[in-house]
Amino acid sequence: MKPDIGIKDKNLKAVTDMLSAVLADAMVLYTKTRKFHWNVNGQSFMELHKLFEHQYNKLEEAIDEIAERINKLGAPTIGTMEECLKLTSLKEAPGKYPAQANMIKELLADHETVIKALRKHIDDCDEKFEDKGTADFLTNLIQEHETIAWTLRRYMQ
Protein backbone atom coordinates (compact mmCIF):
# COMPACT_ATOMS: atom_id res chain seq x y z
CA MET A 1 0.00 0.00 0.00
CA LYS A 2 1.37 3.39 -1.01
CA PRO A 3 1.85 5.96 1.72
CA ASP A 4 -0.51 8.94 1.64
CA ILE A 5 1.72 11.48 3.38
CA GLY A 6 1.38 14.59 1.25
CA ILE A 7 4.29 13.93 -1.12
CA LYS A 8 3.61 13.43 -4.83
CA ASP A 9 4.32 9.95 -6.21
CA LYS A 10 7.02 11.24 -8.57
CA ASN A 11 8.73 12.98 -5.64
CA LEU A 12 8.53 9.84 -3.50
CA LYS A 13 10.18 7.91 -6.34
CA ALA A 14 12.93 10.53 -6.69
CA VAL A 15 13.56 10.59 -2.94
CA THR A 16 13.69 6.81 -2.57
CA ASP A 17 16.04 6.55 -5.56
CA MET A 18 18.26 9.17 -3.94
CA LEU A 19 18.09 7.37 -0.60
CA SER A 20 19.11 4.14 -2.33
CA ALA A 21 22.29 5.89 -3.50
CA VAL A 22 22.85 7.18 0.05
CA LEU A 23 22.39 3.61 1.31
CA ALA A 24 24.84 2.29 -1.29
CA ASP A 25 27.48 4.80 -0.19
CA ALA A 26 26.92 3.84 3.45
CA MET A 27 27.25 0.13 2.65
CA VAL A 28 30.51 0.61 0.74
CA LEU A 29 31.92 2.88 3.45
CA TYR A 30 30.87 0.39 6.13
CA THR A 31 32.59 -2.46 4.28
CA LYS A 32 35.75 -0.43 3.75
CA THR A 33 35.85 0.62 7.41
CA ARG A 34 35.42 -3.01 8.46
CA LYS A 35 38.25 -4.05 6.14
CA PHE A 36 40.55 -1.44 7.66
CA HIS A 37 39.51 -2.48 11.17
CA TRP A 38 40.51 -6.05 10.38
CA ASN A 39 43.77 -5.14 8.64
CA VAL A 40 45.20 -2.16 10.49
CA ASN A 41 48.64 -2.74 12.00
CA GLY A 42 51.55 -0.74 13.35
CA GLN A 43 52.23 1.40 16.40
CA SER A 44 48.70 2.72 16.81
CA PHE A 45 47.09 -0.63 16.05
CA MET A 46 44.74 -0.87 19.05
CA GLU A 47 43.71 2.78 18.95
CA LEU A 48 42.81 2.64 15.24
CA HIS A 49 41.32 -0.84 15.55
CA LYS A 50 38.89 0.53 18.18
CA LEU A 51 38.30 3.78 16.27
CA PHE A 52 37.36 1.93 13.09
CA GLU A 53 35.11 -0.40 15.10
CA HIS A 54 33.29 2.60 16.60
CA GLN A 55 32.90 4.10 13.14
CA TYR A 56 31.57 0.98 11.44
CA ASN A 57 29.09 0.54 14.29
CA LYS A 58 27.82 4.08 13.64
CA LEU A 59 27.60 3.31 9.94
CA GLU A 60 25.72 0.09 10.64
CA GLU A 61 23.10 2.03 12.62
CA ALA A 62 22.81 4.56 9.80
CA ILE A 63 22.42 1.81 7.20
CA ASP A 64 19.43 0.38 9.05
CA GLU A 65 17.86 3.83 9.46
CA ILE A 66 18.34 4.67 5.76
CA ALA A 67 16.82 1.33 4.70
CA GLU A 68 13.86 1.88 7.01
CA ARG A 69 13.36 5.43 5.68
CA ILE A 70 13.14 4.02 2.14
CA ASN A 71 10.51 1.52 3.32
CA LYS A 72 8.57 4.23 5.18
CA LEU A 73 8.31 6.08 1.89
CA GLY A 74 6.83 3.00 0.22
CA ALA A 75 9.75 1.57 -1.75
CA PRO A 76 11.67 -1.69 -1.42
CA THR A 77 15.22 -1.44 -0.14
CA ILE A 78 18.26 -2.64 -2.07
CA GLY A 79 20.15 -5.33 -0.24
CA THR A 80 23.02 -6.76 -2.27
CA MET A 81 26.54 -5.54 -2.79
CA GLU A 82 25.97 -5.74 -6.55
CA GLU A 83 23.12 -3.24 -6.22
CA CYS A 84 25.21 -1.03 -3.94
CA LEU A 85 28.18 -1.01 -6.28
CA LYS A 86 25.93 0.15 -9.15
CA LEU A 87 24.66 3.10 -7.10
CA THR A 88 27.62 4.19 -4.99
CA SER A 89 29.79 7.21 -5.69
CA LEU A 90 32.66 5.69 -3.67
CA LYS A 91 35.50 3.53 -4.96
CA GLU A 92 36.64 0.22 -3.58
CA ALA A 93 40.22 -1.04 -3.69
CA PRO A 94 40.13 -4.84 -3.76
CA GLY A 95 43.41 -6.50 -2.83
CA LYS A 96 44.89 -3.26 -1.46
CA TYR A 97 45.86 -2.95 2.20
CA PRO A 98 47.08 0.59 2.81
CA ALA A 99 49.24 1.77 5.69
CA GLN A 100 47.52 3.45 8.64
CA ALA A 101 47.89 7.00 7.35
CA ASN A 102 46.45 6.03 3.97
CA MET A 103 43.55 4.20 5.59
CA ILE A 104 42.68 7.36 7.49
CA LYS A 105 43.13 9.52 4.41
CA GLU A 106 40.92 7.24 2.31
CA LEU A 107 38.14 7.05 4.90
CA LEU A 108 38.27 10.82 5.39
CA ALA A 109 37.96 11.42 1.65
CA ASP A 110 34.99 9.03 1.47
CA HIS A 111 33.19 10.69 4.37
CA GLU A 112 33.78 14.11 2.82
CA THR A 113 32.39 12.82 -0.50
CA VAL A 114 29.29 11.58 1.32
CA ILE A 115 28.92 14.89 3.19
CA LYS A 116 28.99 16.87 -0.06
CA ALA A 117 26.38 14.59 -1.63
CA LEU A 118 24.17 14.80 1.46
CA ARG A 119 24.25 18.62 1.37
CA LYS A 120 22.84 18.54 -2.16
CA HIS A 121 20.29 15.87 -1.26
CA ILE A 122 19.08 17.90 1.73
CA ASP A 123 18.50 20.93 -0.48
CA ASP A 124 16.74 18.81 -3.12
CA CYS A 125 14.47 17.14 -0.56
CA ASP A 126 13.53 20.45 0.99
CA GLU A 127 13.11 22.58 -2.13
CA LYS A 128 12.54 20.27 -5.10
CA PHE A 129 10.74 17.24 -3.64
CA GLU A 130 8.84 18.97 -0.79
CA ASP A 131 9.95 16.27 1.67
CA LYS A 132 10.98 17.99 4.86
CA GLY A 133 11.01 14.69 6.75
CA THR A 134 13.77 13.25 4.58
CA ALA A 135 15.62 16.59 4.59
CA ASP A 136 15.59 16.45 8.40
CA PHE A 137 16.61 12.78 8.37
CA LEU A 138 19.56 13.55 6.10
CA THR A 139 20.55 16.53 8.26
CA ASN A 140 20.96 14.17 11.21
CA LEU A 141 22.89 11.75 9.03
CA ILE A 142 25.27 14.43 7.78
CA GLN A 143 26.08 15.40 11.36
CA GLU A 144 27.32 11.89 12.08
CA HIS A 145 29.51 11.90 8.97
CA GLU A 146 30.87 15.33 9.93
CA THR A 147 31.83 14.01 13.37
CA ILE A 148 33.60 11.00 11.89
CA ALA A 149 35.37 13.19 9.31
CA TRP A 150 36.46 15.62 12.03
CA THR A 151 37.87 12.73 14.07
CA LEU A 152 39.78 11.33 11.09
CA ARG A 153 41.03 14.81 10.13
CA ARG A 154 42.57 15.19 13.58
CA TYR A 155 44.80 12.20 12.83
CA MET A 156 46.08 13.93 9.70
CA GLN A 157 47.41 17.00 11.54
Side-chain angles (χ1 to χ4, degrees):
M1 178 184 219
K2 284 189 171 190
D4 183 13
I5 56 175
I7 301 172
K8 297 174 188 165
D9 286 346
K10 69 175 182 158
N11 288 353
L12 280 173
K13 170 80 169 109
V15 170
T16 56
D17 287 349
M18 177 267 306
L19 284 169
S20 293
V22 170
L23 179 59
D25 283 347
M27 289 289 292
V28 170
L29 190 48
Y30 168 84
T31 302
K32 187 181 289 188
T33 305
R34 268 280 192 176
K35 176 184 174 180
F36 291 170
H37 164 79
W38 290 325
N39 291 290
V40 68
N41 55 48
Q43 277 188 312
S44 300
F45 160 75
M46 188 52 69
E47 180 180 351
L48 290 175
H49 185 72
K50 288 179 180 180
L51 176 71
F52 295 155
E53 181 177 17
H54 175 74
Q55 291 176 353
Y56 74 67
N57 284 330
K58 290 291 188 183
L59 289 164
E60 185 174 23
E61 289 174 26
I63 287 165
D64 192 52
E65 291 170 3
I66 297 162
E68 288 176 0
R69 181 76 190 162
I70 293 167
N71 286 159
K72 287 175 189 176
L73 296 176
T77 302
I78 61 170
T80 68
M81 288 309 293
E82 184 177 334
E83 292 167 311
C84 289
L85 291 172
K86 287 179 183 175
L87 296 174
T88 189
S89 61
L90 304 177
K91 301 290 182 227
E92 287 194 310
K96 306 238 177 181
Y97 301 90
Q100 288 180 359
N102 290 332
M103 287 178 175
I104 293 166
K105 191 186 280 186
E106 191 172 330
L107 291 175
L108 174 58
D110 286 349
H111 280 281
E112 288 177 340
T113 295
V114 168
I115 290 166
K116 290 177 215 169
L118 287 172
R119 287 192 194 292
K120 182 187 179 320
H121 296 325
I122 291 166
D123 289 343
D124 286 348
C125 284
D126 193 31
E127 299 162 12
K128 201 164 143 184
F129 305 129
E130 300 173 343
D131 182 357
K132 297 200 181 304
T134 300
D136 186 54
F137 171 78
L138 294 175
T139 298
N140 290 327
L141 190 59
I142 200 173
Q143 291 171 347
E144 193 61 49
H145 283 284
E146 287 173 338
T147 298
I148 292 172
W150 167 74
T151 303
L152 293 168
R153 204 174 298 113
R154 300 293 285 204
Y155 280 93
M156 301 304 297
Q157 296 174 348

